[in-house]
Amino acid sequence: MTAASDTAFDAIATVDPEILPVMQAEVRRQQETIELIASENHVSRAVLQALGSVFTNKYAEGYPGRRYYGGCVNMDGVEELARQRAKKLFGCFHANVQPHSGASANAAVYLAICKPGDTILSLSLAHGGHLSHGLKVNMSGLLFNIVPYEVDPKTEQIDMAEVRRLAREHKPKLIISGASAYPRTLDFDTFSEIAEEVGAVHMADIAHIAGLVATGLHPSPIPTAPITTTTTHKTLRGPRGGMIMCNEEWMKKIDSRVFPGSQGGPLMHCIAAKAVGFAEALKPEFKVYQQQILANAQALAEGLVSKGNRLVSDGTDTHLMLLDLRPAYPDVTGAQAEDWLVSANIVVNKNMIPFDERKPTQTSGLRLGSPAATTRGLKEDEMRTVADLIDRVLRSQGDPDVIESVRGEVRSICEQYPL
Ligand code: DSN
């Protein structure tokens, strides 16, 4: 624990000594581990301050200038700032910054476009899609008829001809592009073209790649997709939350499906923090950060491949990659590999790989991403070292002595690059 974080917890220390050690332990855990979960990041102190601000005290149902409760003048100010900054960052016509999460943002869009029973075409969850895009036990899968598209078995990339074929056959109301475990560039223009051709609406979910899109390092769906959703906390490095961007045609409907359609009072402290995160993302140094995310992902990928590991689709264009454990370690599951690496202070998540024969609780893959490690200052050389450390743990089949020695090396990297 640092003096700074002790000071940050002074009130908690007085009021709730039970939770204090848990918070201190989490600070320590984040300090001492290399975070490779592709959807996580370390926010700035400014974002944390906004999250811990008095904006949490206020109800503000409605939108700026049209609130249901009095006393919302500063709520309007902060929400308007967040909206304007989002519009500048992504070049969209309208931004709704109220969704509590990416899943809430997606749910509001489905309510705006579809009726129960309507067909939605989306990337199969087992091939990198997201649970809010059609998992059977999620509201998307419970209420709608989900038709999944898969990656091509040879290239392990999305085959747009197959997406077109399925769209023509099933005539969906909504076509979703976007993923949570897909390492390659998404062809948003062709998704929009297919949607137009079959009379569907195209919704792009850029939750993972929002930072890359905002800085022009991944093609943007905004010019062609009428609706784009995102989270604000992954590559974008703002607070945990969601956002919907859309064109003029969908603005009113989307706003009404967020509030009152699917949410009540907005989380104004999160909206304040989104505004702060967007201000940071509008600075030139944010583009340098995103470039480094990509360079670091390449270095990590090359490092792993040079040791004989196989990556799904043979590499990555983005911040994340999927390690296929089967060729190099046929008996090791993603769950085992995750446990070993977490014990070595390298945090990753097990992940299904396309056409995986193992169950989602076991998996044959690991998902690795560079955004959080890049935030703490790691560059290509350190990422190559991290690849070597991962490889040592996996090759040792979780040997406790190897894990202990790797944990020591991870700690020393973390000390060199403190949060
Ligand atoms: N859970 C997030 C991820 O890891 O991709 C998506 O919501």
Side-chain angles (χ1 to χ4, degrees), residues 136-380:
K136 273 194 171 31
V137 291
N138 177 258
M139 69 82 90
S140 52
L142 290 168
L143 292 183
F144 307 109
N145 172 38
I146 304 294
V147 175
Y149 53 90
E150 300 189 335
V151 298
D152 178 87
K154 281 211 180 73
T155 63
E156 296 173 308
Q157 300 194 35
I158 295 169
D159 173 0
M160 294 311 294
E162 178 63 5
V163 175
R164 179 173 266 116
R165 189 190 67 74
L166 288 168
R168 284 180 179 160
E169 182 183 336
H170 295 277
K171 300 266 178 301
K173 237 347 189 337
L174 175 65
I175 298 180
I176 302 176
S177 62
S180 70
Y182 183 71
R184 293 297 182 176
T185 302
L186 290 158
D187 184 355
F188 292 126
D189 288 356
T190 305
F191 274 106
S192 291
E193 195 183 288
I194 294 170
E196 211 162 300
E197 188 188 314
V198 300
V201 179
H202 172 204
M203 181 200 96
D205 180 342
I206 60 167
H208 262 267
I209 54 173
L212 300 171
V213 169
T215 50
L217 298 171
H218 185 291
S220 171
I222 301 287
T224 62
I227 301 172
T228 298
T229 61
T230 187
T231 54
T232 47
H233 51 274
K234 298 186 174 94
T235 49
L236 201 50
R237 208 170 53 184
R240 194 158 288 278
M243 174 162 76
I244 305 174
M245 297 170 276
C246 65
N247 63 16
E248 192 171 8
E249 183 191 347
W250 286 99
M251 179 171 76
K252 277 204 171 124
K253 193 88 182 265
I254 291 291
D255 281 357
S256 79
R257 291 300 188 258
V258 173
F259 174 83
S262 56
Q263 291 190 174
L267 307 177
M268 293 312 300
H269 56 305
C270 287
I271 291 177
K274 285 173 189 172
V276 173
F278 296 155
E280 290 176 346
L282 282 162
K283 294 194 171 136
E285 49 268 37
F286 189 71
K287 180 157 187 175
V288 177
Y289 164 58
Q290 298 293 323
Q291 284 163 333
Q292 191 64 51
I293 286 178
L294 291 180
N296 282 355
Q298 286 304 322
L300 182 61
E302 283 160 19
L304 289 167
V305 169
S306 74
K307 305 267 169 206
N309 294 288
R310 191 186 98 82
L311 298 180
V312 168
S313 82
D314 289 330
T316 175
D317 301 324
T318 65
H319 62 299
L320 72 79
M321 66 211 70
L322 286 173
L323 175 58
D324 176 0
L325 293 161
R326 295 168 310 179
Y329 328 95
D331 300 326
V332 176
T333 66
Q336 268 174 324
E338 177 190 301
D339 280 350
W340 295 338
L341 288 167
V342 169
S343 301
N345 285 19
I346 298 174
V347 184
V348 301
N349 65 277
K350 61 180 170 298
N351 215 99
M352 299 286 276
I353 52 170
F355 311 102
D356 207 329
E357 278 154 12
R358 290 195 173 106
K359 291 183 295 199
T361 47
Q362 294 299 312
T363 83
S364 302
L366 288 177
R367 188 184 65 165
L368 311 164
S370 59
T374 306
T375 293
R376 77 184 298 155
L378 271 59
K379 294 223 164 51
E380 290 94 317

